[in-house]
Protein backbone atom coordinates (compact mmCIF):
# COMPACT_ATOMS: atom_id res chain seq x y z
CA UNK A 1 0.00 0.00 0.00
CA UNK A 2 1.25 3.53 -0.76
CA UNK A 3 2.46 5.63 2.16
CA UNK A 4 1.17 8.75 0.37
CA UNK A 5 -2.05 10.38 1.57
CA UNK A 6 -5.02 9.43 -0.63
CA UNK A 7 -5.73 12.99 -1.74
CA UNK A 8 -2.13 13.48 -2.80
CA UNK A 9 -2.14 10.19 -4.72
CA UNK A 10 -5.22 11.33 -6.62
CA UNK A 11 -3.61 14.64 -7.54
CA UNK A 12 -0.29 13.07 -8.57
CA UNK A 13 -2.13 10.50 -10.72
CA UNK A 14 -4.04 13.33 -12.41
CA UNK A 15 -0.77 15.18 -13.10
CA UNK A 16 1.56 12.37 -14.09
CA UNK A 17 -0.74 9.59 -15.35
CA UNK A 18 1.24 6.43 -16.07
CA UNK A 19 4.32 7.99 -14.46
CA UNK A 20 2.58 7.99 -11.07
CA UNK A 21 4.23 4.70 -10.12
CA UNK A 22 7.68 6.20 -10.84
CA UNK A 23 6.84 9.22 -8.68
CA UNK A 24 5.46 7.03 -5.91
CA UNK A 25 8.54 4.81 -5.93
CA UNK A 26 10.81 7.87 -5.81
CA UNK A 27 8.89 9.40 -2.91
CA UNK A 28 8.36 6.26 -0.86
CA UNK A 29 11.79 4.72 -1.41
CA UNK A 30 14.95 5.44 0.50
CA UNK A 31 16.79 8.71 -0.11
CA UNK A 32 20.59 8.87 -0.11
CA UNK A 33 22.45 11.37 2.06
CA UNK A 34 24.01 14.12 -0.04
CA UNK A 35 26.19 17.09 0.86
CA UNK A 36 27.62 20.22 -0.67
CA UNK A 37 31.20 21.37 -0.25
CA UNK A 38 31.36 24.90 1.11
CA UNK A 39 33.96 26.41 -1.19
CA UNK A 40 34.01 29.54 0.97
CA UNK A 41 36.05 27.42 3.37
CA UNK A 42 37.52 24.38 1.63
CA UNK A 43 37.77 22.46 -1.64
CA UNK A 44 36.04 19.35 -2.99
CA UNK A 45 39.42 17.57 -3.02
CA UNK A 46 39.93 18.20 0.70
CA UNK A 47 36.40 17.04 1.50
CA UNK A 48 36.85 13.88 -0.60
CA UNK A 49 40.06 13.12 1.31
CA UNK A 50 38.43 13.75 4.73
CA UNK A 51 35.44 11.52 3.85
CA UNK A 52 37.77 8.76 2.71
CA UNK A 53 39.84 9.10 5.90
CA UNK A 54 36.63 8.74 7.95
CA UNK A 55 35.72 5.58 6.02
CA UNK A 56 32.70 7.25 4.38
CA UNK A 57 32.19 6.14 0.80
CA UNK A 58 31.23 9.11 -1.36
CA UNK A 59 30.54 9.62 -5.04
CA UNK A 60 31.05 13.04 -6.63
CA UNK A 61 28.16 14.25 -8.79
CA UNK A 62 29.24 14.61 -12.40
CA UNK A 63 26.89 17.61 -12.87
CA UNK A 64 28.33 19.63 -9.95
CA UNK A 65 31.86 19.05 -8.63
CA UNK A 66 30.94 20.39 -5.17
CA UNK A 67 28.20 17.78 -4.61
CA UNK A 68 28.73 14.34 -3.08
CA UNK A 69 26.37 11.40 -2.60
CA UNK A 70 27.22 9.09 0.30
CA UNK A 71 26.78 5.49 -0.71
CA UNK A 72 25.50 4.20 2.62
CA UNK A 73 26.38 6.64 5.43
CA UNK A 74 23.70 8.34 7.52
CA UNK A 75 23.55 12.08 8.25
CA UNK A 76 24.84 11.46 11.79
CA UNK A 77 28.12 10.17 10.41
CA UNK A 78 28.60 13.53 8.63
CA UNK A 79 27.49 15.55 11.66
CA UNK A 80 30.19 13.82 13.72
CA UNK A 81 32.97 15.09 11.43
CA UNK A 82 35.15 18.06 12.40
CA UNK A 83 34.73 19.50 8.90
CA UNK A 84 30.95 19.56 9.45
CA UNK A 85 31.39 21.48 12.71
CA UNK A 86 33.68 23.91 10.90
CA UNK A 87 31.03 24.56 8.24
CA UNK A 88 33.13 23.11 5.43
CA UNK A 89 30.27 20.90 4.26
CA UNK A 90 26.50 21.37 4.33
CA UNK A 91 23.95 18.56 4.26
CA UNK A 92 21.79 19.52 1.31
CA UNK A 93 19.68 17.55 -1.11
CA UNK A 94 20.89 17.37 -4.71
CA UNK A 95 17.67 18.97 -5.96
CA UNK A 96 18.04 21.86 -3.54
CA UNK A 97 21.45 22.64 -5.08
CA UNK A 98 19.90 23.24 -8.51
CA UNK A 99 18.12 26.64 -8.13
CA UNK A 100 21.33 28.50 -7.12
CA UNK A 101 23.12 26.89 -10.08
CA UNK A 102 20.35 28.12 -12.38
CA UNK A 103 20.51 31.64 -10.91
CA UNK A 104 24.30 31.60 -11.45
CA UNK A 105 25.34 34.56 -9.28
CA UNK A 106 28.49 36.50 -10.12
CA UNK A 107 30.87 38.85 -8.34
CA UNK A 108 29.35 42.23 -7.49
CA UNK A 109 25.77 41.31 -8.34
CA UNK A 110 23.03 42.47 -6.01
CA UNK A 111 21.00 39.39 -5.03
CA UNK A 112 17.86 38.78 -3.00
CA UNK A 113 17.09 35.42 -1.41
CA UNK A 114 13.46 36.13 -0.52
CA UNK A 115 12.64 33.17 1.72
CA UNK A 116 15.99 32.02 2.95
CA UNK A 117 16.00 29.86 6.11
CA UNK A 118 17.68 27.61 6.99
CA UNK A 119 20.05 29.03 4.39
CA UNK A 120 21.50 26.18 2.33
CA UNK A 121 20.84 28.05 -0.89
CA UNK A 122 21.95 31.42 0.54
CA UNK A 123 25.41 30.13 1.39
CA UNK A 124 25.59 28.27 -1.92
CA UNK A 125 24.75 31.49 -3.79
CA UNK A 126 27.58 33.30 -1.99
CA UNK A 127 30.00 30.45 -2.67
CA UNK A 128 29.03 30.36 -6.37
CA UNK A 129 29.88 34.07 -6.65
CA UNK A 130 33.32 33.36 -5.17
CA UNK A 131 32.15 35.07 -1.97
CA UNK A 132 31.67 38.31 -3.88
CA UNK A 133 27.93 38.81 -4.52
CA UNK A 134 25.96 41.25 -2.36
CA UNK A 135 23.21 39.11 -0.88
CA UNK A 136 20.16 40.12 1.13
CA UNK A 137 18.42 37.13 2.72
CA UNK A 138 14.94 37.43 4.24
CA UNK A 139 13.18 35.10 6.65
CA UNK A 140 10.00 35.99 8.50
CA UNK A 141 9.91 33.18 11.07
CA UNK A 142 11.94 33.98 14.22
CA UNK A 143 13.10 30.43 14.97
CA UNK A 144 14.03 29.76 11.37
CA UNK A 145 15.77 33.15 11.18
CA UNK A 146 18.02 32.11 14.13
CA UNK A 147 18.86 28.95 12.23
CA UNK A 148 19.70 31.04 9.15
CA UNK A 149 22.01 33.28 11.21
CA UNK A 150 23.69 30.24 12.76
CA UNK A 151 24.28 28.64 9.35
CA UNK A 152 25.57 31.88 7.81
CA UNK A 153 28.06 32.28 10.66
CA UNK A 154 29.19 28.66 10.56
CA UNK A 155 29.55 28.66 6.77
CA UNK A 156 31.65 31.83 6.74
CA UNK A 157 28.91 33.86 5.05
CA UNK A 158 28.73 36.74 7.52
CA UNK A 159 28.75 39.27 4.69
CA UNK A 160 25.18 38.24 3.78
CA UNK A 161 22.70 40.90 4.87
CA UNK A 162 20.26 38.68 6.81
CA UNK A 163 16.94 40.34 7.62
CA UNK A 164 14.25 38.95 9.89
CA UNK A 165 11.43 40.31 7.86
CA UNK A 166 8.43 39.41 5.77
CA UNK A 167 9.69 39.66 2.18
CA UNK A 168 6.26 41.04 1.24
CA UNK A 169 7.06 44.09 3.37
CA UNK A 170 10.30 44.99 1.55
CA UNK A 171 10.40 48.50 0.11
CA UNK A 172 9.48 48.42 -3.59
CA UNK A 173 12.19 50.99 -4.25
CA UNK A 174 14.78 48.24 -3.70
CA UNK A 175 15.93 46.65 -6.96
CA UNK A 176 17.97 43.47 -7.42
CA UNK A 177 19.94 41.99 -10.33
CA UNK A 178 18.92 38.47 -9.36
CA UNK A 179 16.25 37.04 -7.09
CA UNK A 180 15.80 33.55 -5.73
CA UNK A 181 12.24 32.77 -4.66
CA UNK A 182 12.53 29.30 -3.13
CA UNK A 183 8.91 29.45 -2.16
CA UNK A 184 7.22 28.03 0.92
CA UNK A 185 5.24 25.06 -0.42
CA UNK A 186 3.46 21.83 0.46
CA UNK A 187 6.77 19.93 0.22
CA UNK A 188 5.14 17.10 -1.71
CA UNK A 189 8.39 16.42 -3.58
CA UNK A 190 10.44 15.84 -0.44
CA UNK A 191 8.39 13.10 1.18
CA UNK A 192 10.47 9.99 1.72
CA UNK A 193 10.40 6.72 3.56
CA UNK A 194 9.89 7.44 7.24
CA UNK A 195 8.72 11.06 6.80
CA UNK A 196 5.28 11.99 8.02
CA UNK A 197 3.21 12.44 4.88
CA UNK A 198 0.66 15.17 5.51
CA UNK A 199 -1.37 16.88 2.86
CA UNK A 200 -4.66 18.74 2.59
CA UNK A 201 -6.39 20.83 -0.04
CA UNK A 202 -6.64 23.71 2.46
CA UNK A 203 -2.87 23.68 3.04
CA UNK A 204 -2.29 23.66 -0.73
CA UNK A 205 -4.61 26.65 -1.12
CA UNK A 206 -2.71 28.58 1.60
CA UNK A 207 0.62 27.81 -0.06
CA UNK A 208 -0.51 28.82 -3.55
CA UNK A 209 -1.99 32.10 -2.26
CA UNK A 210 1.31 32.99 -0.54
CA UNK A 211 3.35 31.92 -3.59
CA UNK A 212 1.30 34.26 -5.83
CA UNK A 213 1.89 37.19 -3.47
CA UNK A 214 5.63 36.47 -3.29
CA UNK A 215 5.90 36.27 -7.11
CA UNK A 216 4.17 39.63 -7.43
CA UNK A 217 6.60 41.10 -4.91
CA UNK A 218 9.58 39.53 -6.69
CA UNK A 219 8.46 41.18 -9.91
CA UNK A 220 8.42 44.60 -8.17
CA UNK A 221 11.91 44.07 -6.76
CA UNK A 222 13.55 42.78 -9.95
CA UNK A 223 15.66 45.13 -12.09
CA UNK A 224 14.73 45.34 -15.75
CA UNK A 225 16.82 42.69 -17.48
CA UNK A 226 17.35 40.89 -14.15
CA UNK A 227 16.78 37.22 -13.42
CA UNK A 228 14.24 35.57 -11.14
CA UNK A 229 14.46 31.89 -10.27
CA UNK A 230 11.31 30.40 -8.76
CA UNK A 231 11.55 26.99 -7.12
CA UNK A 232 9.48 24.68 -4.95
CA UNK A 233 10.00 21.24 -3.48
CA UNK A 234 6.50 20.35 -4.64
CA UNK A 235 5.31 18.26 -7.58
CA UNK A 236 1.85 19.82 -7.78
CA UNK A 237 0.95 21.89 -10.85
CA UNK A 238 -0.96 24.44 -8.73
CA UNK A 239 2.35 25.44 -7.09
CA UNK A 240 4.48 25.10 -10.21
CA UNK A 241 2.89 25.63 -13.62
CA UNK A 242 0.22 27.70 -11.84
CA UNK A 243 2.92 29.98 -10.47
CA UNK A 244 4.46 30.27 -13.94
CA UNK A 245 1.08 31.38 -15.32
CA UNK A 246 0.89 34.04 -12.63
CA UNK A 247 4.43 35.26 -13.38
CA UNK A 248 3.63 35.53 -17.12
CA UNK A 249 0.41 37.37 -16.32
CA UNK A 250 2.53 39.89 -14.37
CA UNK A 251 4.74 40.52 -17.41
CA UNK A 252 7.71 38.33 -16.53
CA UNK A 253 9.22 36.37 -19.44
CA UNK A 254 10.10 32.70 -19.12
CA UNK A 255 13.72 31.74 -19.84
CA UNK A 256 14.74 28.11 -20.38
CA UNK A 257 16.18 26.32 -17.35
CA UNK A 258 19.32 24.58 -18.54
CA UNK A 259 20.47 21.62 -16.48
CA UNK A 260 22.56 18.56 -17.28
CA UNK A 261 20.67 15.65 -18.86
CA UNK A 262 21.56 13.44 -15.88
CA UNK A 263 19.08 15.34 -13.68
CA UNK A 264 15.99 13.07 -13.67
CA UNK A 265 12.85 14.82 -14.94
CA UNK A 266 9.11 14.56 -15.05
CA UNK A 267 7.09 16.23 -17.80
CA UNK A 268 6.59 19.94 -17.11
CA UNK A 269 5.84 23.13 -19.01
CA UNK A 270 8.42 23.76 -21.74
CA UNK A 271 11.42 25.71 -20.41
CA UNK A 272 10.85 24.63 -16.80
CA UNK A 273 12.27 21.59 -15.01
CA UNK A 274 10.35 19.28 -12.70
CA UNK A 275 12.90 17.01 -11.01
CA UNK A 276 11.69 13.43 -10.61
CA UNK A 277 12.10 12.03 -7.08
CA UNK A 278 14.66 9.20 -7.01
CA UNK A 279 17.11 7.78 -4.48
CA UNK A 280 19.48 10.68 -5.25
CA UNK A 281 17.02 13.52 -5.95
CA UNK A 282 13.98 15.00 -4.25
CA UNK A 283 11.01 16.14 -6.30
CA UNK A 284 11.57 19.80 -7.19
CA UNK A 285 10.38 22.44 -9.65
CA UNK A 286 12.46 25.24 -11.17
CA UNK A 287 11.46 28.09 -13.47
CA UNK A 288 13.54 31.07 -14.61
CA UNK A 289 12.25 34.50 -15.65
CA UNK A 290 13.42 37.89 -16.74
CA UNK A 291 11.68 41.24 -16.92
N1 LIG B 1 15.70 28.54 0.66
C1 LIG B 1 15.75 27.85 1.94
C2 LIG B 1 16.96 26.94 1.96
O1 LIG B 1 17.43 26.51 0.91
O2 LIG B 1 17.47 26.68 3.06
C3 LIG B 1 14.46 27.10 2.21
C4 LIG B 1 13.27 28.03 2.20
S1 LIG B 1 11.75 27.26 2.70
C5 LIG B 1 11.27 26.44 1.27
C6 LIG B 1 10.67 28.65 2.72
C7 LIG B 1 10.95 29.62 3.86
O3 LIG B 1 10.20 30.81 3.60
C8 LIG B 1 10.52 29.17 5.24
O4 LIG B 1 11.61 29.26 6.12
C9 LIG B 1 9.42 30.16 5.64
O5 LIG B 1 9.41 30.46 7.02
C10 LIG B 1 9.83 31.37 4.82
N2 LIG B 1 8.76 32.35 4.50
C11 LIG B 1 7.47 32.10 4.23
N3 LIG B 1 6.83 33.24 3.92
C12 LIG B 1 7.74 34.23 3.99
C13 LIG B 1 7.69 35.63 3.76
N4 LIG B 1 6.54 36.23 3.41
N5 LIG B 1 8.81 36.36 3.91
C14 LIG B 1 9.97 35.75 4.27
N6 LIG B 1 10.08 34.43 4.51
C15 LIG B 1 8.98 33.67 4.35
Amino acid sequence: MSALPQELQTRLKASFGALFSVVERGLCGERAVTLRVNTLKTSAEEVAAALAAAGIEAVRAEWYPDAFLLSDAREDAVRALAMYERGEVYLQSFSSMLPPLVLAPAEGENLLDMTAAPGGKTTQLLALSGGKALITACERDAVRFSRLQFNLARQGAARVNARKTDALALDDALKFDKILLDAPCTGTGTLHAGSEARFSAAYLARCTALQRKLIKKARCLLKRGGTLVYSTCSLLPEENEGAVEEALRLGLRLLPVELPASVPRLPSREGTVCVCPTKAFEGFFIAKFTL
Side-chain angles (χ1 to χ4, degrees):
M1 217 181 83
S2 173
L4 301 176
Q6 192 55 51
E7 166 131 22
L8 181 57
Q9 285 187 48
T10 307
R11 286 172 184 270
L12 291 173
K13 279 178 191 162
S15 297
F16 298 112
L19 289 173
F20 170 74
S21 57
V22 177
V23 173
E24 186 181 40
R25 220 175 310 127
L27 290 177
C28 298
E30 222 188 309
R31 184 89 20 84
V33 174
T34 56
L35 60 80
R36 178 176 56 80
V37 176
N38 177 15
T39 55
L40 295 168
K41 290 202 160 185
T42 188
S43 67
E45 287 66 31
E46 284 180 69
V47 167
L51 289 171
I56 297 176
E57 209 178 298
V59 182
R60 204 163 168 179
E62 85 279 8
W63 50 272
Y64 184 24
D66 297 336
F68 285 88
L69 181 143
L70 309 187
S71 305
D72 58 7
R74 307 306 323 148
E75 288 193 352
D76 286 351
V78 178
R79 289 203 175 95
L81 299 173
M83 69 177 174
Y84 178 81
E85 283 297 316
R86 291 194 298 263
E88 293 169 5
V89 293
Y90 189 84
L91 286 163
Q92 187 171 347
S93 81
F94 271 0
S95 298
S96 155
M97 298 177 198
L98 299 174
L101 290 173
V102 173
L103 195 60
E107 175 175 353
E109 285 177 342
N110 195 10
L111 259 69
L112 174 65
D113 187 351
M114 280 182 91
T115 53
K121 296 184 191 69
T122 319
T123 50
Q124 187 186 355
L125 287 167
L126 186 62
L128 286 169
S129 75
K132 292 182 174 156
L134 309 165
I135 304 181
T136 300
C138 297
E139 173 56 50
R140 73 173 179 186
D141 179 90
V143 174
R144 291 180 66 89
F145 181 72
S146 306
R147 195 69 212 165
L148 172 66
Q149 284 184 305
F150 174 84
N151 281 329
L152 293 177
R154 177 139 91 174
Q155 306 270 310
R159 73 177 256 135
V160 170
N161 172 24
R163 295 182 54 180
K164 197 213 144 292
T165 187
D166 185 332
L168 297 172
L170 289 172
D171 187 336
D172 283 346
L174 294 170
K175 297 291 170 225
F176 296 89
D177 300 306
K178 291 184 175 172
I179 299 179
L180 175 63
L181 173 50
D182 184 42
C185 70
T186 54
T188 53
T190 60
L191 303 174
H192 58 90
S195 71
E196 202 186 336
R198 268 183 296 184
F199 178 79
S200 74
Y203 181 41
L204 173 62
R206 282 202 300 281
C207 287
T208 53
L210 179 54
Q211 289 154 3
R212 302 298 185 272
K213 285 188 201 160
L214 286 163
I215 289 170
K216 192 168 178 203
K217 189 69 183 183
R219 191 221 174 275
C220 288
L221 298 173
L222 190 63
K223 270 189 196 163
R224 200 148 282 280
T227 310
L228 165 67
V229 168
Y230 173 85
S231 57
T232 71
C233 56
S234 174
L235 294 171
L236 297 175
E238 291 87 343
E239 300 181 89
N240 298 337
E241 278 81 357
V244 171
E245 286 304 327
E246 176 67 0
L248 297 177
R249 202 184 61 75
L250 292 168
L252 287 155
R253 282 188 296 121
L254 195 58
L255 296 175
V257 170
E258 280 157 14
L259 286 171
S262 55
V263 174
R265 290 152 212 245
L266 288 165
S268 66
R269 185 191 173 110
E270 194 179 346
T272 68
V273 168
C274 186
V275 181
C276 183
T278 61
K279 186 168 181 192
F281 285 83
E282 294 179 322
F284 235 81
F285 176 82
I286 307 164
K288 184 174 167 184
F289 302 94
T290 190
L291 187 60

